[in-house]
Amino acid sequence: MKIAVVGGGSTYTPELVDGVARIGLPVTELALIDPAADRLGVVGAFAARIFAHRGHPGRVTWTSDPVAGLSDADAVLIQLRVGGQAARTSDETFPLECGCVGQETTGAGGLAKALRTVPVVLDVADQARRLAKPGAWIVNFTNPVGIMTRVLLDAGHRAVGLCNVAIGLQRRIAAHYSVDPDGVRLDHVGLNHLTWERAVHVDGVDVLPGMLDEKLDVEFPTEVIRAQRAIPSYYLRYFYHHDEEVAKERGAQTRGQAVAEIERELLAMYADTTLVTKPELLAKRGGAFYSEAALGLLQSLHGVPGFHSVNVRNRGTLPFLPDDAVVEVTAPVTADGPAPEPRGWLEPSQRGLISHVSAYEELAVEAAVHGGRDRVYHALLAHPLVGQHDLAEGLTDRLLAANRAHLPWIDR
């Protein structure tokens, strides 16, 4: 199997590389693709040393030429970041001027990232359709995952979106109950970065009711969790504690700035030719359990059935959403792809927020694909973290000013 990784120069690529080598997926070639040749050379050489140290029989290649990297790939992983950490820092700061949360996957910052990223992801996917093997799957890890997955599916690509939120919680629960992670299955439901765990099955028994009576190690008051009878994703703090989050962010170091510092240290470590294992600092970079999530999903897409939390077309999974919406749920996955089952009833507060954000995502896709200032404004007006005319107007101007170099097409 040849796996092509677009954005292979990322500092967390070694997490994926280590997973491939450790899990033993039958990979003959892991092709890392990235336009940043200097950075890619450092990451690629380190990745090759990891393979060699682990005794993996496959080879690691790296290239800035997408034709070479994508040709004959059995699967394509997309994990790119347009504009790097500098653009992320912008996403995390310009909304604060309007009193709105700054974040790279939701609100105005999330829309800015989507607008920059959609054209690039579609171009990569079009190249993959021409160059990769027929039927090759595209696994998208690029944020905002729900929006990116929707544009890929709208364009007819064989794609599935992936996030590490669910697998991170699964691993924590497995450790808490001292069981194998495969013995924990979550009823994970919602949209990307807007999810709830409605059941937690440990060796076939739903332990969530008991968990709700404990003091859970999550970032919400017990009252919020018990009222919904579910465990919210930590990203929901931007909705449930919006003003508190804004107050924390003002004047503080952004996550993008922190990650940029970590990346500089990691690249210096990776350049050390004696380093053959991933450093502990990588755990602070983000993307925990990304390799397990991605490789487990690829195994299922290539014939080993399993359950995974994925971003897929709705198609009746959540009956209150249009069929062409993209949802994030735990689903059985085979070589034919994910096949989620209908989820039925949700709490009104969950159903309402999901519907609201899904409508915003529909408008965000329109803005990213077709351009136009009015489409950007309408998407922001529809977002529950904005939702007011004056805010949407001000954020539109700030978003476009902050991203003009990346959005030359937006005024068409």
Side-chain angles (χ1 to χ4, degrees):
M1 177 190 299
K2 176 180 178 180
I3 300 177
V5 183
V6 181
S10 167
T11 52
Y12 66 59
T13 292
E15 169 71 24
L16 176 68
V17 175
D18 179 76
V20 173
R22 181 167 37 84
I23 294 171
L25 198 67
V27 174
T28 54
E29 180 182 355
L30 186 66
L32 310 181
I33 308 164
D34 203 295
D38 292 346
R39 181 188 182 108
L40 178 63
V42 172
V43 173
F46 177 43
R49 296 196 301 274
I50 292 175
F51 258 38
H53 177 71
R54 290 278 190 181
H56 194 284
R59 64 190 181 114
V60 177
T61 62
W62 54 97
T63 179
S64 295
D65 178 10
V67 174
L70 292 169
S71 292
D72 296 320
D74 296 276
V76 178
L77 272 59
I78 303 179
Q79 56 172 42
L80 54 86
R81 179 182 293 280
V82 178
Q85 297 303 327
R88 177 179 185 168
T89 295
S90 171
D91 295 341
E92 294 170 329
T93 51
F94 80 79
L96 297 176
E97 298 173 12
C98 295
C100 294
V101 72
Q103 219 279 322
E104 65 156 349
T105 62
T106 192
L111 179 60
K113 189 174 194 301
L115 294 175
R116 293 193 305 269
T117 310
V118 163
V120 179
V121 165
L122 285 177
D123 181 61
V124 167
D126 287 343
Q127 292 182 75
R129 180 152 47 194
R130 296 192 305 271
L131 299 167
K133 288 182 179 177
W137 282 95
I138 294 176
V139 177
N140 176 67
F141 197 67
T142 299
N143 281 322
V145 170
I147 291 173
M148 295 302 138
T149 304
R150 181 163 181 157
V151 297
L152 288 168
L153 293 172
D154 286 352
H157 295 289
R158 199 178 195 211
V160 58
L162 182 65
C163 180
N164 67 328
V165 167
I167 195 172
L169 181 59
Q170 180 208 38
R171 294 303 198 262
R172 286 168 56 193
I173 291 171
H176 178 77
Y177 287 96
S178 300
V179 299
D180 188 273
D182 289 341
V184 178
R185 185 177 301 169
L186 306 176
D187 182 10
H188 181 81
V189 61
L191 308 176
N192 179 240
H193 290 183
L194 194 85
T195 50
W196 293 261
E197 312 307 327
R198 302 193 308 160
V200 178
H201 292 99
V202 176
D203 292 334
V205 177
D206 184 8
V207 300
L208 181 62
M211 292 176 67
L212 294 176
D213 291 330
E214 302 173 6
K215 183 169 178 57
L216 297 175
D217 182 22
V218 294
E219 300 181 10
F220 299 98
T222 303
E223 294 80 5
V224 172
I225 298 170
R226 289 179 179 169
Q228 300 197 34
R229 307 299 299 172
I231 303 174
S233 158
Y234 56 82
Y235 282 93
L236 277 157
R237 70 185 188 271
Y238 297 117
F239 296 83
Y240 295 160
H241 302 292
H242 176 271
D243 292 354
E244 181 182 338
E245 290 298 321
V246 170
K248 287 180 183 177
E249 291 173 1
R250 282 185 165 142
Q253 183 186 46
T254 69
R255 176 61 180 163
Q257 290 168 333
V259 170
E261 293 177 1
I262 293 170
E263 286 190 330
R264 284 191 289 271
E265 293 184 54
L266 286 173
L267 287 170
M269 291 178 177
Y270 297 168
D272 179 357
T273 57
T274 66
L275 186 68
V276 294
T277 59
K278 63 180 184 180
E280 291 184 8
L281 181 62
L282 183 55
K284 296 182 179 180
R285 168 63 181 79
F289 303 111
Y290 163 49
S291 62
E292 283 88 344
L295 299 175
L297 178 58
L298 284 176
Q299 284 180 316
S300 293
L301 292 173
H302 287 86
V304 182
F307 282 82
H308 304 276
S309 295
V310 288
N311 284 255
V312 294
R313 284 286 195 210
N314 181 43
R315 292 179 178 149
T317 304
L318 300 181
F320 53 89
L321 291 183
D323 282 348
D324 63 351
V326 165
V327 297
E328 183 172 298
V329 293
T330 302
V333 180
T334 67
D336 294 325
E341 298 176 353
R343 287 306 198 272
W345 188 88
L346 269 72
E347 290 282 350
S349 59
Q350 298 164 2
R351 190 168 66 240
L353 190 51
I354 290 170
S355 297
H356 201 161
V357 175
S358 181
Y360 149 75
E361 290 188 348
E362 181 178 344
L363 292 170
V365 168
E366 286 290 311
V369 172
H370 299 294
R373 185 190 185 282
D374 285 351
R375 290 189 177 95
V376 175
Y377 161 79
H378 285 301
L380 287 171
L381 187 64
H383 200 292
L385 297 184
V386 181
Q388 299 178 57
H389 166 73
D390 288 347
L391 284 179
E393 280 283 350
L395 286 167
T396 297
D397 291 338
R398 286 169 172 79
L399 185 159
L400 295 178
N403 290 274
R404 181 61 64 187
H406 299 290
L407 305 177
W409 49 270
I410 198 67
D411 290 326
R412 71 171 181 260

PDB file of all heavy atoms in Angstrom, residues 319-331:
ATOM      1  N   PRO A 319     -32.101  13.045  11.510  1.00  0.00           N
ATOM      2  CA  PRO A 319     -33.260  13.295  10.647  1.00  0.00           C
ATOM      3  C   PRO A 319     -33.671  14.756  10.518  1.00  0.00           C
ATOM      4  O   PRO A 319     -34.402  15.114   9.604  1.00  0.00           O
ATOM      5  CB  PRO A 319     -34.371  12.465  11.300  1.00  0.00           C
ATOM      6  CG  PRO A 319     -33.918  12.245  12.705  1.00  0.00           C
ATOM      7  CD  PRO A 319     -32.433  12.191  12.659  1.00  0.00           C
ATOM      8  N   PHE A 320     -33.174  15.606  11.407  1.00  0.00           N
ATOM      9  CA  PHE A 320     -33.541  17.020  11.350  1.00  0.00           C
ATOM     10  C   PHE A 320     -32.612  17.829  10.448  1.00  0.00           C
ATOM     11  O   PHE A 320     -32.827  19.019  10.272  1.00  0.00           O
ATOM     12  CB  PHE A 320     -33.562  17.622  12.766  1.00  0.00           C
ATOM     13  CG  PHE A 320     -32.288  17.400  13.544  1.00  0.00           C
ATOM     14  CD1 PHE A 320     -31.242  18.307  13.472  1.00  0.00           C
ATOM     15  CD2 PHE A 320     -32.146  16.282  14.341  1.00  0.00           C
ATOM     16  CE1 PHE A 320     -30.074  18.112  14.175  1.00  0.00           C
ATOM     17  CE2 PHE A 320     -30.972  16.070  15.061  1.00  0.00           C
ATOM     18  CZ  PHE A 320     -29.934  16.978  14.974  1.00  0.00           C
ATOM     19  N   LEU A 321     -31.579  17.191   9.865  1.00  0.00           N
ATOM     20  CA  LEU A 321     -30.662  17.873   8.956  1.00  0.00           C
ATOM     21  C   LEU A 321     -30.896  17.415   7.527  1.00  0.00           C
ATOM     22  O   LEU A 321     -31.350  16.286   7.292  1.00  0.00           O
ATOM     23  CB  LEU A 321     -29.207  17.579   9.331  1.00  0.00           C
ATOM     24  CG  LEU A 321     -28.645  18.156  10.625  1.00  0.00           C
ATOM     25  CD1 LEU A 321     -27.167  17.807  10.747  1.00  0.00           C
ATOM     26  CD2 LEU A 321     -28.842  19.661  10.697  1.00  0.00           C
ATOM     27  N   PRO A 322     -30.552  18.259   6.536  1.00  0.00           N
ATOM     28  CA  PRO A 322     -30.631  17.823   5.138  1.00  0.00           C
ATOM     29  C   PRO A 322     -29.706  16.636   4.888  1.00  0.00           C
ATOM     30  O   PRO A 322     -28.682  16.470   5.560  1.00  0.00           O
ATOM     31  CB  PRO A 322     -30.163  19.058   4.347  1.00  0.00           C
ATOM     32  CG  PRO A 322     -30.302  20.210   5.281  1.00  0.00           C
ATOM     33  CD  PRO A 322     -30.099  19.665   6.660  1.00  0.00           C
ATOM     34  N   ASP A 323     -30.053  15.825   3.914  1.00  0.00           N
ATOM     35  CA  ASP A 323     -29.250  14.648   3.603  1.00  0.00           C
ATOM     36  C   ASP A 323     -27.835  15.001   3.180  1.00  0.00           C
ATOM     37  O   ASP A 323     -26.892  14.241   3.417  1.00  0.00           O
ATOM     38  CB  ASP A 323     -29.919  13.815   2.497  1.00  0.00           C
ATOM     39  CG  ASP A 323     -31.074  12.982   3.018  1.00  0.00           C
ATOM     40  OD1 ASP A 323     -31.225  12.869   4.252  1.00  0.00           O
ATOM     41  OD2 ASP A 323     -31.836  12.437   2.190  1.00  0.00           O
ATOM     42  N   ASP A 324     -27.662  16.168   2.523  1.00  0.00           N
ATOM     43  CA  ASP A 324     -26.331  16.508   2.017  1.00  0.00           C
ATOM     44  C   ASP A 324     -25.453  17.212   3.045  1.00  0.00           C
ATOM     45  O   ASP A 324     -24.304  17.565   2.755  1.00  0.00           O
ATOM     46  CB  ASP A 324     -26.425  17.346   0.742  1.00  0.00           C
ATOM     47  CG  ASP A 324     -27.105  18.684   0.949  1.00  0.00           C
ATOM     48  OD1 ASP A 324     -27.662  18.918   2.045  1.00  0.00           O
ATOM     49  OD2 ASP A 324     -27.106  19.504   0.011  1.00  0.00           O
ATOM     50  N   ALA A 325     -25.953  17.416   4.265  1.00  0.00           N
ATOM     51  CA  ALA A 325     -25.104  17.946   5.330  1.00  0.00           C
ATOM     52  C   ALA A 325     -24.047  16.905   5.679  1.00  0.00           C
ATOM     53  O   ALA A 325     -24.168  15.724   5.347  1.00  0.00           O
ATOM     54  CB  ALA A 325     -25.946  18.275   6.558  1.00  0.00           C
ATOM     55  N   VAL A 326     -22.987  17.357   6.335  1.00  0.00           N
ATOM     56  CA  VAL A 326     -21.947  16.445   6.814  1.00  0.00           C
ATOM     57  C   VAL A 326     -22.006  16.404   8.334  1.00  0.00           C
ATOM     58  O   VAL A 326     -22.017  17.453   8.992  1.00  0.00           O
ATOM     59  CB  VAL A 326     -20.553  16.870   6.324  1.00  0.00           C
ATOM     60  CG1 VAL A 326     -19.450  16.166   7.106  1.00  0.00           C
ATOM     61  CG2 VAL A 326     -20.402  16.574   4.838  1.00  0.00           C
ATOM     62  N   VAL A 327     -22.064  15.201   8.880  1.00  0.00           N
ATOM     63  CA  VAL A 327     -22.148  15.012  10.326  1.00  0.00           C
ATOM     64  C   VAL A 327     -20.931  14.228  10.805  1.00  0.00           C
ATOM     65  O   VAL A 327     -20.244  13.584  10.011  1.00  0.00           O
ATOM     66  CB  VAL A 327     -23.441  14.268  10.711  1.00  0.00           C
ATOM     67  CG1 VAL A 327     -24.662  15.100  10.336  1.00  0.00           C
ATOM     68  CG2 VAL A 327     -23.510  12.884  10.050  1.00  0.00           C
ATOM     69  N   GLU A 328     -20.685  14.287  12.110  1.00  0.00           N
ATOM     70  CA  GLU A 328     -19.600  13.500  12.710  1.00  0.00           C
ATOM     71  C   GLU A 328     -20.210  12.520  13.700  1.00  0.00           C
ATOM     72  O   GLU A 328     -20.800  12.928  14.708  1.00  0.00           O
ATOM     73  CB  GLU A 328     -18.585  14.413  13.408  1.00  0.00           C
ATOM     74  CG  GLU A 328     -17.393  13.627  13.992  1.00  0.00           C
ATOM     75  CD  GLU A 328     -16.294  14.537  14.513  1.00  0.00           C
ATOM     76  OE1 GLU A 328     -15.737  15.298  13.683  1.00  0.00           O
ATOM     77  OE2 GLU A 328     -16.008  14.492  15.725  1.00  0.00           O
ATOM     78  N   VAL A 329     -20.079  11.239  13.400  1.00  0.00           N
ATOM     79  CA  VAL A 329     -20.682  10.191  14.218  1.00  0.00           C
ATOM     80  C   VAL A 329     -19.774   8.971  14.239  1.00  0.00           C
ATOM     81  O   VAL A 329     -18.913   8.794  13.375  1.00  0.00           O
ATOM     82  CB  VAL A 329     -22.062   9.769  13.670  1.00  0.00           C
ATOM     83  CG1 VAL A 329     -23.083  10.889  13.792  1.00  0.00           C
ATOM     84  CG2 VAL A 329     -21.958   9.308  12.217  1.00  0.00           C
ATOM     85  N   THR A 330     -19.997   8.123  15.243  1.00  0.00           N
ATOM     86  CA  THR A 330     -19.350   6.816  15.245  1.00  0.00           C
ATOM     87  C   THR A 330     -20.132   5.914  14.305  1.00  0.00           C
ATOM     88  O   THR A 330     -21.360   5.836  14.367  1.00  0.00           O
ATOM     89  CB  THR A 330     -19.340   6.217  16.654  1.00  0.00           C
ATOM     90  OG1 THR A 330     -18.673   7.117  17.534  1.00  0.00           O
ATOM     91  CG2 THR A 330     -18.620   4.870  16.665  1.00  0.00           C
ATOM     92  N   ALA A 331     -19.399   5.229  13.418  1.00  0.00           N
ATOM     93  CA  ALA A 331     -20.066   4.424  12.396  1.00  0.00           C
ATOM     94  C   ALA A 331     -19.246   3.180  12.074  1.00  0.00           C
ATOM     95  O   ALA A 331     -18.011   3.205  12.171  1.00  0.00           O
ATOM     96  CB  ALA A 331     -20.258   5.244  11.121  1.00  0.00           C
TER      97      ALA A 331
END
